[in-house]
Amino acid sequence: SCVECVLGPLHFSLSFVVMAVATSLAYSYSASAAEGLPAVGLSGVAMGMMALLTTLLPHARIWCFFWFVFWVRRFTLPVLVIVAWHVGWNVYDLHHHDASSHINYMAHVSGAITGFVLGMLYRLFAQQRLSEMTVEVGSS
C-alpha cells in the first residue's frame, strides 16, 4: 500500500504489469526454464514491489511481530534489511535450489531487479512528484 500511495494508482498499476511481464520473460529465457513448466503466480511481482519500496523509501521502517509461547513483542526493522534478506536468500536459492521444490526463484530475483530499476527510473525522472507524494504519505 505504501508503494501505491507514493506512485498513485495509475503508475502502481503500470509498475505491476511491467513486473509481471518482466518476471515471466526472465523465467522463459532462463536456463532453468528449459525443463520447467509454464509459471503462474505473482511472487516475482511481490519481490519487485519490495525492491521498489526500498528504492523509493529507503528510510522506511516495517513493523514486525514476534511471539514465542506467551512472549509477544512488536518491533520495527529498516525496509532495506528485510528486502536485502529476502533478495539475498532468493539469489542463494537460485543457484543452490533443489529441482523438486517447484519455487520460481528466477521470477523472484528478476522481480527484485525490475523493482529496483523501476524505482531508480522513477527517482531520476519523477523526482518532484516523488518528493511531493512522500511528504503526503509521511503526513498521513
Side-chain angles (χ1 to χ4, degrees), residues 23-91:
T23 57
S24 178
L25 289 174
Y27 175 71
S28 296
Y29 291 115
S30 70
S32 64
E35 299 131 12
L37 297 172
V40 177
L42 294 173
S43 57
V45 175
M47 290 290 286
M49 288 297 171
M50 288 171 44
L52 184 56
L53 172 65
T54 304
T55 308
L56 295 177
L57 302 170
H59 301 292
R61 298 185 67 84
I62 304 294
W63 277 101
C64 301
F65 179 78
F66 174 82
W67 81 92
F68 181 74
V69 185
F70 295 112
W71 189 56
V72 177
R73 293 290 180 261
R74 285 185 334 163
F75 58 94
T76 62
L77 286 173
V79 69
L80 185 59
V81 170
I82 295 171
V83 172
W85 182 77
H86 278 287
V87 172
W89 192 274
N90 277 274
V91 167

